[in-house]
Amino acid sequence: MKKLFSVTAALCCSLWSAQAQNNPVIQTHYTPDPAPMVRKDSVYLYTGDDIPGYPFYYMTKWRVYSTADMVNWTDHGSPISLESFSWAVDRAWAAQCIERNGKFYWYICAQSKDNNMAIGVAVGDSPTGPFKDALGKPLIATPNWSNIDPTVHIDSDGQAYLYWGNGHLYYVKLNEDMISYTGDITEVPQTAESFGGVRGGTNNQDVYIEGPWFYKRNQQYYMMYAGMENRTECLSYATSQSPTGPWQYKGKIMSKQPTNSFTNHGGIIDFKGKSYLFYHNALLKGGGSYGRSTAIESFTYNADGTIPAISISAEGPAPAGVINPYKRVEAETIAKAENCSTSQDEQTGVYVSDIRTGGYLRIRAVDFGKTAPTSFTASLAAGLAGGILEVHVDSVGGTKLASIIVPRTGGWQSFKTFTEKVTAPVTGVHDVFFAFKGQNITAGRKLYNFDYWKFER
Ligand code: FUB
């Protein structure tokens, strides 16, 4: 009941919701090809890692994030990269992770040594890894450039299906071990009835391009995919009464939207009673068709199970929970970040790095409860003195709660905890802003690294 009250309070608090601008949801890295996975009370988000400025999708690693509230995302770093797959040479492209019997299977695609694209699988004991190449070789390695964009679903009878493909859509039935398959690779026939059109067909027809997302909901199977309109990818979908078709084209989900990206690639989940579409756009500062970022829209299925047309928004979803500030919160749990990035090392794990003057972190829907905190603690590391961490609520220039003047701590990776008094009373649900400031700082130099924070009372 108490939890329900807090969530309701969070959803009703206009102070922070009015200013919210969540999309793209990650601002510290470029995060294309989002693949969400619901597990218990959290959503895990698996993405690629774009490097804008490159003239193609020359990508080298994959990333993982998680959230319990759909707005504050915790960065778990990059557990796998091309280096994790001895057979992979380039193009760390779209991927999806799924759980079976307590193990996590992360299906990826990459360019293999024979210059084709191939699908591999890494396995881990937790959704954030560590992960290890399960086979030491690709799972799908036909001499084919179409072997990209794996999507996987385990049906209610336990049979798992792996779909994938660019231009062509293929599937296999995975064995229970999830790292082998039985039977032939089957190509799904493409017709106007199944996917809106055929490649090379008339210009006004939709067509399956890539990025399939296969799932089941209320006894119906869905295949969302990147279709094509005006030389740009849209998101379209088909449904079926069986996991292997026949598929029936149902139309476009995301069409003619100003994403600024040639590609689109999505995933759909239900979480805490709502439905969410994950997709990518090129709207993060410095982005472009090779600098794409995950964005999210919530939506409601029509009564007959069809998916409505969905427009992109800057706001994204509303909070589906609150943050407890009296427990350690990782600094890399972020709704919005400016002028900073994240890094990881063996000792500390992931932390907020590359912090520059004028930047900030926004954490949404922080529930201070009925009794105000008296002190604030942060774990910070600085190779040079002069940085200041200010804590505000409601906006980056809103009421100041605390301020830490950060001395040299012995190095940029030498984290020390600092505790300061809270100088203004705060109760209830607020957005918290960490403002990055400095005293006599040469323009552009980094201030400090930030590992975690909490309030005490
Ligand atoms: O990110 C590289 C490729 O671009 C993906 O594999 C495709 O789905 C498209 O998004």
Side-chain angles (χ1 to χ4, degrees):
M1 194 61 199
K2 202 169 155 198
K3 206 169 166 190
L4 184 67
F5 171 79
S6 306
V7 175
T8 314
L11 297 175
C12 296
C13 179
S14 59
L15 261 178
W16 42 263
S17 59
Q19 319 153 348
Q21 235 210 319
N22 290 309
N23 281 330
V25 295
I26 311 291
Q27 307 87 23
T28 45
H29 299 279
Y30 293 92
T31 51
D33 303 325
M37 179 184 79
V38 176
R39 180 170 192 259
K40 299 183 177 166
D41 283 342
S42 297
V43 177
Y44 290 85
L45 167 65
Y46 299 82
T47 76
D49 179 71
D50 266 357
I51 309 170
Y54 279 20
F56 191 59
Y57 309 103
Y58 295 121
M59 298 148 69
T60 62
K61 57 183 152 197
W62 294 269
R63 296 186 172 276
V64 189
Y65 300 84
S66 71
T67 186
D69 57 28
M70 291 307 290
V71 291
N72 297 298
W73 288 91
T74 303
D75 188 331
H76 299 284
S78 167
I80 53 169
S81 68
L82 291 174
E83 308 307 322
S84 316
F85 302 91
S86 58
W87 52 268
V89 294
D90 201 339
R91 296 172 200 191
W93 285 3
Q96 186 183 346
C97 186
I98 196 167
E99 179 177 8
R100 181 160 205 164
N101 299 332
K103 294 230 179 274
F104 296 83
Y105 298 89
W106 196 349
Y107 297 85
I108 59 97
C109 62
Q111 188 179 347
S112 53
K113 285 185 177 150
D114 64 358
N115 277 340
N116 286 298
M117 289 299 285
I119 291 172
V121 53
V123 62
D125 292 327
S126 100
T128 56
F131 288 90
K132 196 172 176 304
D133 184 2
L135 295 166
K137 60 179 185 180
L139 171 64
I140 306 288
T142 52
N144 197 333
W145 259 95
S146 284
N147 290 333
I148 70 168
D149 296 1
T151 178
V152 62
H153 173 71
I154 305 169
D155 207 351
S156 355
D157 63 2
Q159 178 62 57
Y161 297 85
L162 180 75
Y163 274 88
W164 73 94
N166 173 292
H168 307 264
L169 180 62
Y170 304 100
Y171 73 86
V172 286
K173 289 183 177 183
L174 292 172
N175 294 331
E176 208 180 329
D177 65 9
M178 299 297 275
I179 58 170
S180 62
Y181 61 89
T182 302
D184 291 334
I185 294 174
T186 305
E187 181 168 358
V188 180
Q190 287 182 40
T191 60
E193 290 71 38
S194 58
F195 294 99
V198 279
R199 215 161 191 179
T202 60
N203 275 339
N204 55 9
Q205 279 186 324
D206 200 352
V207 60
Y208 171 87
I209 300 289
E210 58 186 359
W213 182 260
F214 177 46
Y215 67 102
K216 185 184 189 181
R217 189 176 190 271
N218 293 343
Q219 304 314 312
Q220 178 154 252
Y221 298 86
Y222 290 77
M223 185 71 69
M224 178 169 72
Y225 54 90
M228 181 59 77
E229 61 184 12
N230 304 331
R231 295 169 179 250
T232 304
E233 289 183 353
C234 53
L235 292 178
S236 305
Y237 79 113
T239 60
S240 172
Q241 294 312 309
S242 120
T244 54
W247 293 96
Q248 196 186 356
Y249 179 65
K250 291 288 175 172
K252 293 176 182 173
I253 300 171
M254 183 165 274
S255 166
K256 300 192 180 112
Q257 293 297 300
T259 60
N260 282 6
S261 164
F262 164 69
T263 61
N264 203 343
H265 189 121
I268 286 182
I269 54 162
D270 287 341
F271 180 63
K272 295 188 177 173
K274 285 194 162 186
S275 302
Y276 297 94
L277 169 70
F278 288 61
Y279 62 101
H280 67 218
N281 66 36
L283 301 176
L284 184 63
K285 198 161 61 181
S289 270
Y290 306 115
R292 303 157 297 170
S293 295
T294 298
I296 306 171
E297 309 297 343
S298 65
F299 72 95
T300 307
Y301 284 87
N302 298 317
D304 62 357
T306 53
I307 302 175
I310 298 172
S311 301
I312 69 168
S313 77
E315 294 77 24
V322 291
I323 294 260
N324 177 356
Y326 304 109
K327 277 189 179 162
R328 168 177 165 151
V329 182
E330 296 304 316
E332 65 274 14
T333 298
I334 303 167
K336 184 93 195 273
E338 276 281 338
N339 278 8
C340 60
S341 186
T342 61
S343 301
Q344 65 188 112
D345 67 24
E346 288 271 306
Q347 205 188 333
T348 311
V350 180
Y351 56 88
V352 177
S353 62
D354 304 283
I355 289 174
R356 301 286 195 280
T357 310
Y360 67 90
L361 297 179
R362 177 184 194 165
I363 295 83
R364 291 192 67 191
V366 177
D367 189 358
F368 288 95
K370 289 182 181 158
T371 312
T374 49
S375 62
F376 168 77
T377 297
S379 172
L380 301 157
L384 293 169
I388 300 170
L389 176 68
E390 283 187 2
V391 189
H392 296 253
V393 282
D394 303 331
S395 73
V396 72
T399 305
K400 185 156 91 179
L401 300 187
S403 180
I404 294 172
I405 298 175
V406 190
R408 276 170 40 208
T409 61
W412 297 106
Q413 264 76 33
S414 250
F415 284 91
K416 292 204 161 49
T417 52
F418 298 90
T419 300
E420 289 292 343
K421 270 191 180 152
V422 171
T423 52
V426 61
T427 55
V429 178
H430 295 263
D431 283 6
V432 166
F433 289 79
F434 295 114
F436 305 142
K437 303 199 171 172
Q439 268 170 345
N440 303 322
I441 300 287
T442 314
R445 96 132 152 96
K446 67 181 179 183
L447 299 176
Y448 41 79
N449 292 327
F450 188 7
D451 186 25
Y452 65 86
W453 60 273
K454 72 196 273 273
F455 284 87
E456 298 87 20
R457 58 183 176 191

